[in-house]
Amino acid sequence: MPFFFESKQIVTPGDLLAEGDYQASGNTYKFDAKIYATRMGLVEYKGRTVYVVALNNFYVPNAGDLVIGKVVEVNLNGWTVDINSPYVAILRASEALGRPFKPQRDELSEFLGIGDMVIAEIIAFDRTRDPSLTIRERGLGKVTHGQIIKVSPAKIPRIIGRKGSMINMLKNETQCNITVGQNGIVLVSGRTREDERIAVLALNKIEEEAHTSGLTDRVTEMIRKEKSGGKQ
Amino acid sequence: MSKKTKLVDKKGIRTDGRELKDLRPVKLEIGILGNANGSAYIEQGKNKILAAVYGPREVHPRHLALPDRSLLRCRYHMAPFSVQERKSPAPSRREVELSKVIREALEPAIFLEEFPRTAIDLFIEVLQADGGTRCAGVIVASLALADAGIPMRDLVVACAAGKVDGQLVLDLNDIEDKEGEADVPVAYMPNFDSVGLLQMDGLLTVEELEQTIDLALDGCKRIYQLQKEALRGKYLAIREEVQEE
């Protein structure tokens, strides 16, 4: 069973990870019974599968994902939304109004204008046509307050943490409401500017140190220190 | 070809103090541009080259988009101040050619078919040139692509070898390139043992060409290790810093 690295070691594209009867999973590929990495990241060996947790990537839409995007265009029957992805998304008017769309009655720019941020869910995407969005469910729709920050989509799982451990800690410690888009856009809204500032600081720290261990504890410590005004 | 300078002395030492089969010192940096999705910088001897990658992103103009794969666009450009005599900033015939051959050397390494209807824009800016910039360009470009998180089969490396003063030498600099007998740049993917770029300028016998290619491939393999170290270095530094706290 030849493995060529230890779990959690940093690998680069083209690194030979394993040879033999293994399954090539995320960010790897198989060629001649050899498994190579396709992205920079931390290698993981789980039983017979080999995968790499990427350190940087870009967002490829996936049906069912929650994303945060910016309206870039108002069209005749919907909006074009930039979702921080190689593909721009389409939000159709009927998916926003919750009733059939009548062009003679509804003025779309009254609902969403250019520059507005929206929390949306991806309905469908197959790479041959642009992804389509919906904002009809609870918790979706126009962003009215808070701060938007951008992180690498590769770091989103780290921000959420195992079973939400990291994000729950962040919410509790900072008293902020945090909405994490799978596309790397995070919305932070708290009661005060100061709460938001600390949450943003914590998110930036997570992004910077995503590939290190014991991160949740260090971030908790940092937040508490910041809350006490840097004294301690 | 008229001889002006002695390029290799009796002891086999070249104009910049190297031996025949030495590489120039290489310094690599990853992720140095804030606005690009991926970037890298190389100093190889007196060469100084920046590479920036944007994308995959929407293709503009739209009609260039490919239905089955991503479009890789590459611009190799030399800054007006990169050479002795001011170079016109307009792309020259040579730069258009190098953009094409560098693009073709990199294309097989990238999983372009995973992102149809998008474009990956790659900019290689030569800030200071001292021979072998197309090879150095390939080296930084593949690092910038890796930094951008674009999935790749392997890193692409490149290195030149050639003939100077009747001797086969590795990694030619500007004066050896101009006044030597031959220059053979090679781009290479070590995992597949496949050559993605092979050019020859000058005169070599068939045997000499074979030896020169072998020499260049050897240089490629050495630079390949430096590329991997540089990529890991960016993240290892943060990890060590955190562990020390």
Side-chain angles (χ1 to χ4, degrees):
Chain A
M1 46 163 278
F3 287 162
F4 297 96
F5 287 90
E6 281 168 37
S7 275
K8 295 245 160 37
Q9 263 196 300
I10 296 175
V11 295
T12 59
D15 273 347
L16 179 58
L17 304 178
E19 193 169 354
D21 185 21
Y22 292 98
Q23 191 98 45
S25 194
N27 300 318
T28 64
Y29 71 103
K30 201 168 184 176
F31 184 79
D32 277 355
K34 289 178 183 148
I35 294 179
Y36 298 97
T38 65
R39 280 197 173 101
M40 279 232 339
L42 310 179
V43 64
E44 292 279 0
Y45 298 102
K46 286 266 163 68
R48 305 212 71 80
T49 56
V50 181
Y51 64 93
V52 171
V53 179
L55 286 167
N56 189 16
N57 63 9
F58 40 85
Y59 178 65
V60 176
N62 206 343
D65 278 358
L66 183 86
V67 296
I68 300 176
K70 186 199 253 173
V71 175
V72 288
E73 197 178 356
V74 184
N75 303 321
L76 289 174
N77 56 1
W79 297 268
T80 308
V81 184
D82 173 10
I83 53 165
N84 190 30
S85 158
Y87 305 94
V88 290
I90 303 297
L91 175 60
R92 302 213 301 174
S94 55
E95 288 294 342
L97 302 175
R99 57 178 163 76
F101 164 61
K102 294 244 169 57
Q104 59 272 49
R105 198 178 59 204
D106 298 313
E107 173 58 40
L108 287 185
S109 55
E110 284 173 14
F111 297 92
L112 287 171
I114 289 172
D116 284 348
M117 303 295 296
V118 282
I119 305 173
E121 191 182 305
I122 294 184
I123 312 175
F125 177 62
D126 64 1
R127 293 179 203 221
T128 58
R129 279 211 246 133
D130 285 335
S132 50
L133 301 174
T134 182
I135 53 170
R136 277 169 75 174
E137 266 155 68
R138 237 188 99 229
L140 306 182
K142 188 167 157 180
V143 174
T144 51
H145 57 278
Q147 293 187 36
I148 294 281
I149 70 161
K150 215 170 172 179
V151 297
S152 168
K155 312 286 165 79
I156 292 298
R158 200 73 168 106
I159 289 175
I160 292 169
R162 190 169 294 155
K163 288 185 186 147
S165 59
M166 182 74 86
I167 193 75
N168 288 334
M169 181 278 287
L170 277 178
K171 284 176 182 170
N172 288 335
E173 291 289 332
T174 62
Q175 299 289 310
C176 284
N177 208 342
I178 302 172
T179 310
V180 182
Q182 291 298 319
N183 58 341
I185 310 278
V186 182
L187 171 68
V188 178
S189 61
R191 273 173 304 178
T192 65
R193 271 290 172 91
E194 179 62 13
D195 287 350
E196 286 179 0
R197 186 188 69 85
I198 293 173
V200 170
L201 220 58
L203 287 165
N204 287 337
K205 188 180 173 74
I206 297 168
E207 186 184 21
E208 177 85 353
E209 299 175 11
H211 58 296
T212 61
S213 50
L215 186 56
T216 315
D217 294 339
R218 280 205 310 281
V219 174
T220 317
E221 195 185 318
M222 190 209 79
I223 294 173
R224 292 195 175 145
K225 212 168 178 176
E226 281 292 328
K227 275 202 292 199
S228 62
K231 292 176 297 229
Q232 209 168 46
Chain B
M1 229 175 274
S2 64
K3 270 284 154 51
K4 290 168 218 152
T5 6
K6 190 101 183 89
L7 295 171
V8 180
D9 74 7
K10 284 182 221 104
K11 289 180 192 151
I13 302 295
R14 290 149 74 179
T15 48
D16 51 6
R18 281 184 292 161
E19 291 185 17
L20 298 177
K21 286 168 192 175
D22 281 353
L23 290 167
R24 286 174 283 186
V26 176
K27 187 179 129 195
L28 295 166
E29 280 177 57
I30 312 292
I32 54 164
L33 298 176
N35 288 335
N37 296 108
S39 58
Y41 174 70
I42 186 173
E43 280 184 22
Q44 186 184 30
K46 289 178 191 158
N47 281 329
K48 294 180 181 178
I49 305 175
L50 255 178
V53 170
Y54 298 83
R57 60 184 179 182
E58 260 191 291
V59 192
H60 287 291
R62 265 274 165 72
H63 69 268
L64 293 176
L66 302 170
D68 59 337
R69 66 199 149 94
S70 182
L71 173 72
L72 179 65
R73 289 187 286 201
C74 172
R75 185 180 95 135
Y76 164 98
H77 182 250
M78 290 176 93
F81 50 81
S82 64
V83 276
Q84 286 287 325
E85 196 73 22
R86 180 183 185 276
K87 185 207 148 285
S88 159
S92 62
R93 184 213 52 82
R94 176 178 170 277
E95 286 168 293
V96 174
E97 175 198 318
L98 293 197
S99 302
K100 178 180 179 290
V101 296
I102 292 172
R103 190 190 76 227
E104 288 177 350
L106 294 169
E107 265 174 346
I110 308 171
F111 285 91
L112 292 171
E113 62 281 7
E114 288 186 13
F115 314 102
R117 301 184 301 114
T118 63
I120 298 169
D121 291 311
L122 168 63
F123 299 91
I124 300 169
E125 192 70 24
V126 180
L127 304 176
Q128 186 170 290
D130 187 42
T133 53
R134 75 194 69 191
C135 294
V138 167
I139 297 167
V140 258
S142 65
L143 291 179
L145 287 165
D147 182 45
I150 291 168
M152 291 161 81
R153 291 179 176 83
D154 197 359
L155 295 173
V156 186
V157 226
C159 187
K163 190 179 169 191
V164 167
D165 280 359
Q167 310 245 40
L168 297 188
V169 297
L170 184 63
D171 192 15
L172 284 76
N173 64 23
D174 191 47
I175 189 161
E176 292 170 335
D177 182 10
K178 285 193 177 112
E179 298 186 16
E181 287 101 292
D183 175 31
V184 180
V186 179
Y188 182 62
M189 275 198 282
N191 276 350
F192 306 100
D193 198 27
S194 76
V195 170
L197 177 149
L198 176 63
Q199 294 179 307
M200 183 171 92
D201 180 17
L203 293 170
L204 288 174
T205 65
V206 175
E207 292 78 49
E208 279 172 337
L209 177 62
E210 282 170 358
Q211 289 170 22
T212 310
I213 293 174
D214 284 342
L215 188 58
L217 291 183
D218 182 57
C220 286
K221 285 169 193 156
R222 279 148 69 185
I223 297 171
Y224 186 61
Q225 297 307 322
L226 300 175
Q227 278 181 306
K228 297 207 152 180
E229 267 169 44
L231 280 174
R232 285 194 200 104
K234 179 185 171 189
Y235 289 95
L236 279 176
I238 298 174
R239 198 183 248 185
E240 275 161 18
E241 207 174 282
V242 167
Q243 245 109 58
E244 271 170 26
E245 276 172 18

